[in-house]
Amino acid sequence: MAETFNFDADAVGTVPAGWIAGVTGQGTSRWRVEADASAPSKPNVLKQSGRGDFPWCVRQGTSVADGYVEVRFKPLAGDEDQAGGVVWRWQDGGPCYVACADAMEHQFSLYYAQGGRRNTLK
């Protein structure tokens, strides 16, 4: 069973229904639905514009077994990272795994995040 999430029916200026947002480590995340003419499905995208170590936004109640996840992101700014990806085994903003593509460093990394720190696995 395939399921696609876009943010076209969500209210602009809000965190999408069924999603929660936060930051691991220091700083503040700011996730909001915004209109974007370059959205893969028009008109909206989910945008992170805060400043924090590792901002995250997670769809609640999602479970995938023996499947795959695909995400599209467009880096706009960032001094240390311009990255996006997916998390799994996430629970309440605690320890989790992160697959992350970083446009600034032109690399893809796999991390284990815990206690506001990320440890590179590969």
Side-chain angles (χ1 to χ4, degrees):
M1 176 175 137
E3 189 170 11
T4 301
F5 294 102
N6 61 42
F7 308 101
D8 301 330
D10 292 289
V12 172
T14 65
V15 175
W19 294 69
I20 57 172
V23 65
T24 298
Q26 296 184 353
T28 305
S29 69
R30 180 173 159 70
W31 293 90
R32 300 290 184 263
V33 173
E34 292 190 4
D36 184 333
S38 67
S41 66
K42 308 247 183 309
N44 296 337
V45 297
L46 178 61
K47 181 178 180 181
Q48 200 296 118
S49 59
R51 296 186 66 88
D53 292 340
F54 308 110
W56 49 262
C57 193
V58 177
R59 172 89 177 164
Q60 293 179 298
T62 300
S63 179
V64 176
D66 299 325
Y68 70 93
V69 175
E70 179 180 323
V71 64
R72 294 180 185 188
F73 73 97
K74 178 173 77 172
L76 299 175
D79 297 328
E80 293 181 37
D81 288 324
Q82 293 180 5
V86 296
V87 300
W88 68 98
R89 295 212 172 195
W90 180 92
Q91 187 174 0
D92 300 327
C96 64
Y97 292 91
V98 181
C100 184
D102 189 324
M104 182 180 275
E105 296 178 7
H106 303 288
Q107 69 180 13
F108 179 84
S109 299
L110 179 62
Y111 301 104
Y112 178 72
Q114 182 176 22
R117 299 177 51 98
R118 67 180 181 193
N119 303 300
T120 304
L121 299 174
K122 182 148 178 122

